[in-house]
Amino acid sequence: MKILIVGSGGREHAIAWKVSQSKLADKIYCAPGNAGIAEYAECVDIKSTELEKLAYFAEKEQIDLTIIGMDAPLVAGIVDIFEKKGLRVFGPRKNAAIIEGSKAFSKDLMKKYHIPTAGYETFDNPDKAISYLKNSDYPMVLKADGLALGKGVLICQDFEEAKAGVKAIMEDKQFGGAGDRLVIEEFMTGREVSVLAFCDGTNIKTMTSAQDYKRAKDGDKGLNTGGMGTFSPSPYYTEEIHEYCMNHIYKPTMDAMKMEGRDFVGILFFGLMLTEKGPKVLEYNARFGDPETQVVLPRMKNDIVEVFEACIEGRLEDIQLEFEDNAAVCVVLASEGYPEYYEKGYIIHGLENFKNKEGYYVFHAGTQKGLDGIVTNGGRVLGITATGTNLKEARKHAYEAAGCIDFKNKYMRNDIAKL
């Protein structure tokens, strides 16, 4: 098979690496890709948002399967465009990708179908939002309704902070059009867990659990980011919790989307909060998580292309997902200043230390090939993943590896998987 992957981050590198192991994959392309993905795929200079160009390329090259890694093209309707041209593609259609594209939609869906989540209100007028916040209990959570690269969430400790947050999101457009509407949520406490699931429109099969670190600084301080590290599995996600989530969250979400005429085929990401009153949904994503993918796929035993095919053909029930009885930890190496201003273009040293080294994976996120080698080209530069027999061993391996790779202005959190 000829396979095209759409995206350019660490998630897409992990997908490309996993796809390259499939017995069904003969040739892999990635648009636009990055310096690390180039090891497994031919990178194509087409942006992930250039939907018609991507479809034309897939037609011209007779691509057998396209895998959409990123949220923006899914929400924009890339799957619909491909399907109209008779192209085989893995991901939800536009009317299903709205589960990530609009937080207001997903909150209303959960409310309608009694799926446990935080209490909330939605506003399209900043003055009304501020008026509501005057009489609210704090802390309170403000979420830009649309896509904001994982950064459109503010946790406000008091009214003044919340008022400034409304201004930043709705008036100053800190997150662009994503802030045209605002969701205000009650603040939940507990352990956060991420669970990714394959979906075929009717059936849902979950992958192993993971736990993400969103804040930029140690101790969960600093600004929200796209993710500074993750580990798998979560010791807090027990079999009992899994059963509860399957019966009250996972299956009901699939059924709700079908009832709404929005059959979901692709990857459904469940961001969960394990509260004292039971698991509740923090957020949905309509694709693989980043950097959760970097710890989940190295533990997956299945041929991933076979699973993609089963989802597209509506026969996911025939697939038995299997994962290694081990643990994985990913430490993100970022550019100092991320997620705000940062410099790029610095040579990365030490990558050769882990080439083909068993149990170690260097997933490129923001890199490109320079004149003198691979250089930094983003806020999140690399995801250093290592496995071990348990989390403690995997963490030790990941940080040892992270210490062997260097570039100017390198920054990382030092408390990933420190339980």
Side-chain angles (χ1 to χ4, degrees):
M1 290 176 70
K2 285 178 160 183
I3 297 173
L4 170 65
I5 299 166
V6 176
S8 60
R11 164 186 49 220
E12 287 76 31
H13 189 177
I15 293 169
W17 165 78
K18 188 67 176 172
V19 166
S20 73
Q21 298 176 341
S22 171
K23 62 180 182 288
L24 300 174
D26 297 312
K27 171 72 176 178
I28 305 171
Y29 297 91
C30 189
N34 63 36
I37 293 172
E39 186 179 343
Y40 303 100
E42 181 180 326
C43 292
V44 182
D45 189 19
I46 305 174
K47 294 176 184 175
S48 63
T49 50
E50 295 179 309
L51 311 189
E52 293 291 349
K53 281 187 179 180
L54 289 165
Y56 175 74
F57 175 83
E59 271 189 312
K60 183 168 68 77
E61 295 298 329
Q62 298 182 311
I63 300 295
D64 299 298
L65 172 65
T66 299
I67 302 152
I68 313 300
M70 301 181 74
D71 48 12
L74 288 169
V75 171
I78 190 170
V79 171
D80 307 67
I81 291 170
F82 271 59
E83 286 184 342
K84 280 178 185 173
K85 294 179 181 292
L87 296 165
R88 199 169 178 80
V89 57
F90 178 78
R93 296 184 183 116
K94 184 176 183 177
N95 75 340
I98 193 175
I99 200 168
E100 177 173 7
S102 170
K103 292 181 178 67
F105 169 85
S106 67
K107 295 296 289 190
D108 290 346
L109 183 85
M110 288 184 270
K111 185 176 184 178
K112 181 177 179 180
Y113 290 94
H114 309 292
I115 296 165
T117 188
Y120 73 102
E121 294 291 339
T122 303
F123 299 89
D124 53 20
N125 181 295
D127 293 332
K128 289 182 179 178
I130 290 168
S131 178
Y132 172 80
L133 287 162
K134 279 180 183 175
N135 301 310
S136 297
D137 295 325
Y138 289 87
M140 189 62 79
V141 182
L142 275 55
K143 293 183 176 181
D145 176 58
L147 300 178
L149 299 174
K151 300 164 194 157
V153 179
L154 303 177
I155 299 171
C156 304
Q157 302 299 326
D158 54 40
F159 172 67
E160 289 303 320
E161 200 175 324
K163 183 179 176 182
V166 172
K167 183 178 184 299
I169 293 173
M170 301 192 78
E171 295 179 0
D172 299 343
K173 299 296 182 185
Q174 188 173 326
F175 306 109
D180 290 346
R181 279 201 295 178
L182 181 72
V183 175
I184 300 178
E185 276 189 0
E186 67 170 322
F187 180 75
M188 295 190 290
T189 57
R191 298 283 184 180
E192 284 190 45
V193 175
S194 303
V195 176
L196 304 170
F198 290 102
C199 308
D200 69 0
T202 301
N203 301 290
I204 183 166
K205 292 281 180 83
T206 59
M207 298 178 231
T208 184
S209 62
Q211 201 161 317
D212 184 23
Y213 291 75
K214 283 286 187 193
R215 297 298 191 98
K217 305 293 183 183
D218 288 5
D220 283 332
K221 292 181 170 58
L223 296 172
N224 255 25
T225 72
M228 291 299 295
T230 188
F231 64 85
S232 174
S234 168
Y236 310 108
Y237 186 78
T238 63
E239 188 59 39
E240 182 183 8
I241 288 174
H242 173 75
E243 287 300 318
Y244 177 89
C245 291
M246 184 58 75
N247 294 324
H248 294 87
I249 295 174
Y250 307 149
K251 285 180 179 175
T253 299
M254 283 291 292
D255 294 343
M257 291 295 280
K258 185 174 271 295
M259 289 286 287
E260 295 290 312
R262 301 172 184 270
D263 294 25
F264 193 99
V265 178
I267 299 293
L268 194 49
F269 171 114
F270 297 88
L272 305 173
M273 181 70 81
L274 308 183
T275 76
E276 289 183 350
K277 295 181 180 178
K280 295 186 179 185
V281 178
L282 274 171
E283 64 173 352
Y284 294 116
N285 290 330
R287 36 72 192 179
F288 279 105
D290 188 344
E292 289 91 347
T293 304
Q294 289 90 304
V295 290
V296 169
L297 292 192
R299 299 186 58 223
M300 183 178 173
K301 293 182 180 180
N302 303 73
D303 182 321
I304 198 168
V305 178
E306 288 182 349
V307 184
F308 290 151
E309 293 275 276
C311 291
I312 294 168
E313 294 168 9
R315 50 179 182 81
L316 184 60
E317 59 187 341
D318 299 337
I319 298 289
Q320 185 67 43
L321 294 181
E322 294 183 83
F323 291 85
E324 299 284 355
D325 183 19
N326 63 357
V329 171
C330 174
V331 177
V332 170
L333 303 187
S335 299
E336 183 69 51
Y338 172 77
E340 296 183 298
Y341 174 78
Y342 53 85
E343 295 177 345
K344 51 190 181 181
Y346 298 119
I347 294 176
I348 303 169
H349 302 280
L351 292 172
E352 66 284 351
N353 295 333
F354 299 96
K355 194 171 178 65
N356 302 320
K357 189 172 180 181
E358 189 174 353
Y360 293 85
Y361 312 88
V362 178
F363 295 119
H364 292 229
T367 67
Q368 69 177 18
K369 287 182 179 176
L371 293 174
D372 299 314
I374 294 175
V375 301
T376 65
N377 190 44
R380 291 190 297 174
V381 179
L382 301 167
I384 311 302
T385 299
T387 57
T389 55
N390 53 44
L391 281 174
K392 185 178 180 181
E393 185 177 83
R395 180 178 192 274
K396 179 173 176 285
H397 291 166
Y399 273 103
E400 284 175 351
C404 294
I405 294 175
D406 197 31
F407 52 87
K408 188 178 177 182
N409 291 349
K410 167 184 153 184
Y411 171 74
M412 64 181 175
R413 278 184 60 159
N414 296 292
D415 59 351
I416 306 301
K418 190 175 182 180
L419 305 181

